[in-house]
Every structure is written in C-alpha cells, then in structure tokens.
Amino acid sequence: MNQQRLYSIIVGPHVSEKAAIMAEGHNQVAFVVANDATKPEIREAIETLFKVTVEELQVLNVKGKTKRTARGKLRQKSNWKKAYVKLAQGQEIDFAEMA
C-alpha cells in the first residue's frame, strides 16, 4: 500500500469518555477512519504509522445524526466510520507526544 493511502485511512483519534475508559482498562485505542477503509487496510496503516502490533480490530459505521437548523429545517450529518484497536501487551500510542 502506498504511503499516501496510509495517511488518508486514519482521519484522527476519537476522543470520548468511552474511548478513555477502554484505553485505560483494555489497552484499546479508538480512531476515526475513512469510510472506504477495510479492516486489513486499517490494520496495516496503524501498524506502519505508529509502529505497534494490532491484536484485535473492530470497525463500526456510525450513522450521522439528524439535526434541526435555526430556521427549523432538518439536516443530516455525515455518516462516519470508527475503529477500536486492541494493542499487544505492553504497547501504547501516546498522542500527546506526537503533537
């Protein structure tokens, strides 16, 4: 897989309360990934970019919410894809260090 595709698969980390709990207790990290990304592509991108070993990978599609605008019209937010990545024992990804 070419380097440009690797960088386009991982959109960024998904920061939430649930993601923080999973990172502490289960050695898992949550990422927002491209909608057209597959499990093997996501696994390869994470292992290559962060130099870690992925033990388990769960991918789910998140349906965009319907919101009401100030004028009362209904608008649909975009659908997106989320990946939960379980890392090998003793490995971690530190996002603060990368900034």
Side-chain angles (χ1 to χ4, degrees):
M1 186 181 319
N2 63 15
Q3 198 71 12
Q4 187 177 8
R5 177 67 179 156
L6 287 176
Y7 284 109
S8 66
I9 289 174
I10 307 296
V11 177
H14 179 65
V15 180
S16 67
E17 190 173 346
K18 180 180 178 182
I21 292 169
M22 294 185 83
E24 291 173 6
H26 303 288
N27 200 25
Q28 287 187 337
V29 184
F31 289 99
V32 177
V33 296
N35 284 335
D36 61 342
T38 61
K39 270 189 173 184
E41 287 178 334
I42 296 168
R43 179 183 297 271
E44 184 180 345
I46 292 172
E47 287 179 345
T48 305
L49 295 176
F50 300 110
K51 301 193 179 25
V52 294
T53 304
V54 175
E55 272 189 10
E56 196 175 318
L57 179 66
Q58 296 174 337
V59 180
L60 56 129
N61 292 313
V62 180
K63 187 174 186 292
K65 293 181 179 179
T66 303
K67 296 284 187 168
R68 216 173 263 283
T69 63
R71 297 181 183 253
K73 299 218 182 230
L74 288 176
R75 298 286 182 218
Q76 180 77 25
K77 295 245 180 176
S78 299
N79 297 337
W80 52 287
K81 192 178 265 192
K82 179 169 42 173
Y84 287 109
V85 180
K86 183 172 184 179
L87 302 175
Q89 190 69 27
Q91 294 184 343
E92 65 178 22
I93 298 174
D94 188 15
F95 295 109
E97 190 177 283
M98 293 178 191

